[in-house]
Amino acid sequence: MSSSSYELGRDVRPSDLTFYYLLKGLAWGLVLLLLAMVGVIFALSWEALSHFGPGFFFDPSWDSWREQFGALTFIYGTLVTSLIALILAVPVSLAVALFLNELAPSWLARPLGFFVEMLAAIPSIVYGLWGLFVLAPFLRDHVQPPLGQYLGFLPLFQGPPMGVGMLAAGVILAIMIIPTIASISREVFRSVPATLREAALGLGATRWEMLRLAVLKASVSGIVGAVVLGLGRALGETMAVTMVIGNRPQIDWSLFESGQTMASILANQYAEADSSLHLSALTAVGFTLFVVSLAINSLARWIIWRMQRVN
Amino acid sequence: MELIAVKKLEAWFGVFQALKDINLSIQENEVVALIGPSGCGKSTFVRCLNRLHEEVPGARVAGEVWLDGRNIYAPGVDPVGVRRGVGMVFQKPNPFPGMSIYENVAVGLRLGGVSKRTVLDEKVEQALVRAALWGEVKEILKRPGTSLSGGQQQRLCIARALAVEPPVILMDEPTSALDPISTAKIEELIQELKTKVTVVIVTHNMQQAARVSDKTAFFLLGELVEYGATEEIFTRPAQEATERYITGRFG
C-alpha cells in the first residue's frame, strides 16, 4: 500500500470524512486545472498548427503581412538567452552558496544571505528598467567592445556593440535566477551530513578539499535540481527580457544582435494580432514554451532520479 | 616505545569544559579502549588526538599531545598535516557518496599527492586486504562505496584510513551502528591491525573493550578516572567509580 492512499476504517468520524474528500477534491482540482489549461491552449493553437504542420517548429519566418508563421526564431532566442543565463549564474550561485554556508562567519552570512534572497523579490519590470537604462549602456560601452576586440574571431561576438540584445537578456536573466539557484544550493549543502565533512577533514583535507570531496560530490543531484528550477524561471521570464532583448525576430550567431524569445514575442504581439491565424500562431508559440519547459523539467527529474538510484 | 603522550590536556565547547587535565601515555602497537558514560569526554579526547575537536565552532584545546615525538599543539603546527598522519574511523560508516570503492580508499593517497596509477592500485589493494574487505570487493571496485552493506562500508572506511599507513588509528564507536556479525568482524580486524598500528577506540560496549583492548581508560565528567591494563581495570579496578561503572551500577 502506498503511503498516499488513505484507508477508511469502519469508525470514521463524519468530519474526518468531509475533510478527506475536501483535500482530495482540491488535489485533483489542481491536476484538472493544469490539464484544462493545456487543452485550451492546444485548442487555440490548433488553427496554426494544422495550417503549418510540424514545419511550424522549424520555420524561422514570422511575417504577419504574408501570414507566414514559424516558432524557430523564438525557440532559438529562449534557449540561447537561458543558456547564457545558466553559464553566468551557475558558478556565481554556487560560489555564493559555498561562501555563505561554509566560509563566511555567521554575522556576515546572515545579512548577505538576506540580500541575495532579496534579489528574488525585485519585480521583473524593475529588472527590465534597470537593464534598459543601466545594464545595456554598460554592456555597450564597457563589455561588448573588448569582447569584440579579443574574442571577435568567434561568431558569437561580432557586429557593432548595441547594448540591448541577446547578451543583455542573458545577463539580466542570470541575475534574476541567481537567488533561486543560490538559496536552493545552500539548502542542499546544509543537508550534507556532518559525518562526511569530518571524514574528509580526518583524512587531512584542507577546507577546499573537504568541500570538493564531501560537500560538492554529495550535492550533485541537489545542485542539478537547483539549476533546473533556475532554468525554468529563465525560460519563462517575460517582462525583463522583452525590455532588453531588442525584439527583432531573427536568428543571428552574434550575441550582440537583437532577438526574440517565446515569452517576449507573446508579450509584444498579443494585443496587436488582428488575424485569427496570427493569434493562433502566437498561442502555438505559448504552447511550445509550455512543452519545452515541461521537457526540460522532466529531463532534469530523470537525471536526479537516476543519480539518486546510483547512490 | 611510547607513541602518544598526552600532557595536561584540556578541551572546551564554548564555556563548557569537556576535558580536564588529562595525562596519559600510549605505547606503540597497543589497542587502547576509552570507556565511560555518554558525555564523559571520551569522544572529545580522541578528537583532540588528530586536532579535529577544534573544527567544531567555539571549541578550544589547551595542553600538549606528543605524537611520534612531536607536540601537535605546538604553535605553527598545521592541523591538516597532523590529520594526514592519523587515521580516523567514525561512529556511522561514512564513505564518500559519488565515489567508487576504489576511489574511497585512494582518496587519502590522492590528498597526499600520490597520482601514479600503479602505486595507487597497489596501496588500495593493500589497504583493502588489511581491512579484510579485499575478497568481497575485488571484482566490484568501480561500484559506489555507498552500495555496500553497513558492515562492509565501515571496513571500507577502515581501509580508507589505513591506505596512507598511519602509525595510529582513532575509532569513535566504530561498531555502534552495526549488527553483531559485522561487529565481530571489525573486532577481529582490530586484533590483526595492532601488529602494525596503534588503535585508540571509544566504545560504549564494555565486553568489546574487554575483548579487543590491551589497556583501558575510564573517563567520567571530563576527567580520566583510571587508566591501566584492561585485565586490571575489569577485574581489580582501583577506583570505586570505575567498579560501579563496569558492573553497570550507573551509566
Side-chain angles (χ1 to χ4, degrees):
Chain A
M1 194 187 85
S2 76
S3 57
S4 58
S5 70
Y6 177 65
E7 290 284 303
L8 292 173
R10 229 174 293 155
D11 308 314
V12 178
R13 290 161 197 265
S15 60
D16 280 354
L17 203 61
T18 315
F19 190 56
Y20 170 72
Y21 283 116
L22 177 70
L23 292 191
K24 192 176 182 180
L26 286 173
W28 276 103
L30 272 181
V31 177
L32 290 179
L33 187 64
L34 176 72
L35 290 177
M37 281 169 66
V38 177
V40 168
I41 294 174
F42 185 73
L44 290 174
S45 315
W46 184 245
E47 188 185 343
L49 290 177
S50 59
H51 187 271
F52 298 112
F56 178 76
F57 303 104
F58 306 103
D59 182 359
S61 54
W62 187 267
D63 188 336
S64 52
W65 188 248
R66 291 198 197 80
E67 297 220 305
Q68 180 59 42
F69 299 111
L72 187 66
T73 320
F74 316 120
I75 297 174
Y76 174 81
T78 296
L79 292 182
V80 169
T81 50
S82 298
L83 193 67
I84 299 172
L86 285 187
I87 290 170
L88 296 175
V90 170
V92 175
S93 308
L94 293 182
V96 166
L98 277 180
F99 177 71
L100 292 180
N101 269 31
E102 310 285 341
L103 303 174
S106 67
W107 61 265
L108 183 63
R110 262 168 223 272
L112 269 184
F114 176 73
F115 278 114
V116 171
E117 279 173 29
M118 281 302 289
L119 282 177
I122 300 174
S124 176
I125 184 101
V126 177
Y127 271 110
L129 280 175
W130 179 80
L132 195 58
F133 293 124
V134 180
L135 179 68
F138 178 81
L139 289 176
R140 181 191 61 208
D141 297 337
H142 301 291
V143 177
Q144 291 177 341
L147 274 179
Q149 195 182 337
Y150 296 109
L151 296 171
F153 58 92
L154 295 170
L156 295 177
F157 304 111
Q158 284 168 359
M162 293 189 295
V164 290
M166 304 280 267
L167 185 64
V171 173
I172 207 108
L173 282 175
I175 300 171
M176 294 177 82
I177 65 176
I178 282 173
T180 309
I181 304 179
S183 59
I184 300 172
S185 301
R186 286 186 73 185
E187 288 306 315
V188 172
F189 294 153
R190 206 168 291 151
S191 71
V192 173
T195 57
L196 284 182
R197 295 161 195 268
E198 295 194 328
L201 290 173
L203 280 167
T206 61
R207 192 146 293 271
W208 162 243
E209 288 164 340
M210 182 272 282
L211 293 177
R212 188 167 55 81
L213 290 173
V215 178
L216 287 177
K217 276 243 166 90
S219 305
V220 174
S221 64
I223 292 172
V224 172
V227 170
V228 168
L229 280 176
L231 177 60
R233 192 162 177 220
L235 289 174
E237 173 51 43
T238 310
M239 206 56 233
V241 171
T242 308
M243 290 170 79
V244 299
I245 200 170
N247 297 310
R248 198 177 324 146
Q250 61 175 7
I251 295 180
D252 194 299
W253 271 107
S254 176
L255 302 180
F256 297 174
E257 281 291 330
S258 298
Q260 191 78 281
T261 67
M262 289 187 263
S264 72
I265 185 72
L266 287 178
N268 265 303
Q269 297 200 342
Y270 232 101
E272 56 198 58
D274 37 19
S275 78
S276 79
L277 187 62
H278 188 177
L279 195 61
S280 178
L282 280 173
T283 323
V285 171
F287 182 72
T288 315
L289 177 57
F290 171 78
V291 172
V292 170
S293 307
L294 193 73
I296 288 184
N297 269 294
S298 311
L299 177 73
R301 301 238 160 180
W302 182 75
I303 293 173
I304 294 170
W305 173 79
R306 234 190 48 164
M307 283 193 292
Q308 281 171 342
R309 220 179 40 142
V310 169
N311 269 313
Chain B
M1 211 190 96
E2 185 182 71
L3 183 70
I4 301 173
V6 177
K7 291 174 186 167
K8 292 188 181 153
L9 185 70
E10 320 236 309
W12 290 265
F13 290 100
V15 291
F16 171 72
Q17 187 166 10
L19 289 177
K20 296 165 196 161
D21 191 26
I22 308 292
N23 295 280
L24 121 184
S25 145
I26 295 172
Q27 304 297 309
E28 235 177 275
N29 301 357
E30 241 177 13
V31 178
V32 175
L34 310 177
I35 61 169
S38 297
C40 68
K42 56 194 190 302
S43 281
T44 305
F45 177 75
V46 283
R47 295 162 63 91
C48 285
L49 298 184
N50 67 346
R51 293 195 62 170
L52 199 57
H53 174 68
E54 64 207 67
E55 287 294 332
V56 179
R60 208 151 54 79
V61 181
E64 297 172 7
V65 173
W66 293 79
L67 177 69
D68 239 350
R70 185 175 68 137
N71 178 12
I72 61 172
Y73 283 101
V77 173
D78 179 13
V80 168
V82 171
R83 293 181 202 132
R84 291 225 166 128
V86 180
M88 182 136 189
V89 177
F90 298 84
Q91 191 169 350
K92 273 171 87 182
N94 52 3
F96 294 118
M99 251 188 236
S100 67
I101 294 169
Y102 181 97
E103 283 304 324
N104 261 291
V105 182
V107 66
L109 296 162
R110 287 199 198 274
L111 286 177
V114 181
S115 58
K116 235 178 132 187
R117 193 81 206 177
T118 49
V119 180
L120 285 172
D121 283 351
E122 190 193 319
K123 301 238 172 189
V124 166
E125 178 175 345
Q126 248 173 32
L128 284 167
V129 168
R130 288 179 72 199
L133 191 60
W134 177 247
E136 288 155 73
V137 301
K138 65 181 174 198
E139 308 289 341
I140 52 167
L141 290 173
K142 289 216 165 72
R143 285 216 206 137
T146 45
S147 67
L148 296 171
S149 75
Q152 289 174 324
Q153 285 189 23
Q154 194 62 305
R155 276 178 284 145
L156 179 64
C157 293
I158 293 175
R160 180 174 69 187
L162 285 172
V164 293
E165 299 173 36
V168 54
I169 291 205
L170 312 173
M171 298 187 172
D172 190 358
E173 296 183 44
T175 62
S176 65
L178 303 181
D179 64 84
I181 294 172
S182 306
T183 299
K185 276 192 187 152
I186 300 228
E187 288 182 7
E188 207 178 304
L189 179 58
I190 291 171
Q191 292 301 313
E192 287 162 19
L193 287 180
K194 82 171 184 185
T195 56
K196 277 197 179 154
V197 296
T198 303
V199 178
V200 182
I201 177 174
V202 173
T203 178
H204 264 296
N205 178 331
M206 266 163 310
Q207 285 82 20
Q208 180 167 69
R211 278 193 299 262
V212 303
S213 71
D214 304 306
K215 286 203 181 136
T216 296
F218 173 58
F219 283 76
L220 186 63
L221 299 171
E223 292 182 59
L224 176 59
V225 174
E226 193 170 351
Y227 177 50
T230 298
E231 224 184 289
E232 291 282 316
I233 297 272
F234 279 92
T235 53
R236 293 178 294 278
Q239 301 290 325
E240 204 199 324
T242 315
E243 188 184 351
R244 278 171 46 195
Y245 181 71
I246 59 174
T247 52
R249 266 179 284 164
F250 78 91

